[in-house]
Amino acid sequence: MIFYFSGVGNSAWVARKLADKLRDRVLPIADEIRTPMEYTLAPGERIGFVYPVYGWEPPKIVLDFVREMKISQVPEYLYFVCTCGDDTGKTADVFMAALQAKGWKSHASYSILMPDTYVCLPGFDIDGEDELKRKLDNASARVDFIGEELSRKVIMDKHGCFEGAFPKVKTYVLGGLFRKFLMSPKPFHATDACISCGLCEKRCPVHNIKVEGKPQWGDDCTMCLACYHACPVHAIQYGGRTKNKGQYKLSL
């Protein structure tokens, strides 16, 4: 089985493509965490996790799910795949520590470069058309490669995620600042362009938005930006930081 978390759809696409190749089932973490249960593994069954990198670490909802989930037996083969716009920092180490706390270990791990979606800081925007096409073309080939390796249950000596430069600084310093100062949903608002279509509410994976005239955000936000990118009239903004920034829609 493959557990995944996804905001704008990149990680969901990867999880479903892998599931097709491996003939596995996919389960969305945002739904599964709402109704805790014990998962039963068949002998030799693979268990995988697919998630995006937020602030050079796994999303909090993914770590919370791993800490809370129960499985009928210690997984014989466990892997994870993280999607990122550039590099992963020490994301893999953070996730593997969460597994080790459960008495589990990762047998294989990968990162996949996908289009940038973070737009909430100066200098951050979606990719241009050429870069977008290049990343998506390479991602398709990368998923094929990963699927082939997982079908053979390849065991890695070390994780296969691209950490990039200064990974410890990015995850343990910048990531901490990101969590502390840049995770609040309070700057989200809808401009007068809002047509009250409700698409933001529908696309929010953690059901944190209610549309009553204009959308209202609760406190349970993952900063996935699904609402921002889904808005058909570009009415959703994050303070003044997203004005004139682009929107991303997965086109695979």
Side-chain angles (χ1 to χ4, degrees), residues 72-93:
S72 59
Q73 62 192 63
V74 175
E76 295 180 30
Y77 187 81
L78 186 152
Y79 66 91
F80 64 92
V81 180
C82 52
T83 62
C84 59
D86 187 8
D87 52 37
T88 68
K90 286 292 182 179
T91 295
D93 287 0

Side-chain angles (χ1 to χ4, degrees), residues 12-234:
W13 174 80
V14 170
R16 289 168 185 147
K17 291 286 286 185
L18 288 175
D20 287 344
K21 293 177 182 298
L22 300 172
R23 296 182 180 179
D24 283 346
R25 49 183 168 154
V26 290
L27 299 167
I29 287 173
D31 292 341
E32 295 299 307
I33 201 170
R34 293 165 65 89
T35 54
M37 60 177 290
E38 180 172 324
Y39 301 93
T40 301
L41 292 178
E45 183 177 0
R46 290 176 295 261
I47 180 169
F49 297 88
V50 180
Y51 59 85
V53 174
Y54 290 169
W56 295 285
E57 60 186 359
K60 180 179 181 296
I61 188 174
V62 174
L63 295 176
D64 287 345
F65 178 71
V66 169
R67 294 182 184 116
E68 295 172 11
M69 72 183 300
K70 297 179 180 179
I71 303 179
S72 59
Q73 62 192 63
V74 175
E76 295 180 30
Y77 187 81
L78 186 152
Y79 66 91
F80 64 92
V81 180
C82 52
T83 62
C84 59
D86 187 8
D87 52 37
T88 68
K90 286 292 182 179
T91 295
D93 287 0
V94 174
F95 190 73
M96 289 190 294
L99 295 177
Q100 289 167 2
K102 301 280 289 188
W104 306 342
K105 67 177 181 178
S106 168
H107 299 89
S109 55
Y110 307 84
S111 61
I112 299 181
L113 195 64
M114 293 292 284
D116 280 307
T117 62
Y118 188 73
V119 294
C120 294
L121 282 175
F124 286 77
D125 205 343
I126 65 170
D127 294 315
E129 289 187 12
D130 290 344
E131 180 69 359
L132 181 69
K133 184 178 186 306
R134 183 187 71 82
K135 284 185 176 180
L136 292 179
D137 287 345
N138 290 341
S140 293
R142 178 74 170 158
V143 171
D144 288 341
F145 168 77
I146 293 171
E148 174 59 29
E149 292 225 323
L150 294 177
S151 69
R152 295 186 286 110
K153 295 186 177 179
V154 166
I155 297 178
M156 294 180 168
D157 294 330
K158 58 182 181 179
H159 72 75
C161 300
F162 176 64
E163 293 186 343
F166 309 109
K168 290 184 179 179
V169 173
K170 288 177 177 175
T171 296
Y172 302 120
V173 178
L174 298 180
L177 293 172
F178 182 87
R179 288 195 309 275
K180 186 173 182 179
F181 297 110
L182 298 173
M183 288 293 293
S184 173
K186 291 181 179 179
F188 278 117
H189 66 280
T191 69
D192 289 340
C194 176
I195 57 175
S196 302
C197 66
L199 191 57
C200 55
E201 179 178 345
K202 180 179 179 181
R203 292 290 177 84
C204 178
V206 293
H207 311 288
N208 188 54
I209 300 173
K210 298 296 181 184
V211 176
E212 298 172 354
K214 286 186 178 181
Q216 302 295 320
W217 282 260
D219 295 326
D220 185 22
C221 181
T222 65
M223 282 299 291
C224 70
L225 300 183
C227 57
Y228 168 86
H229 290 290
C231 181
V233 293
H234 210 336

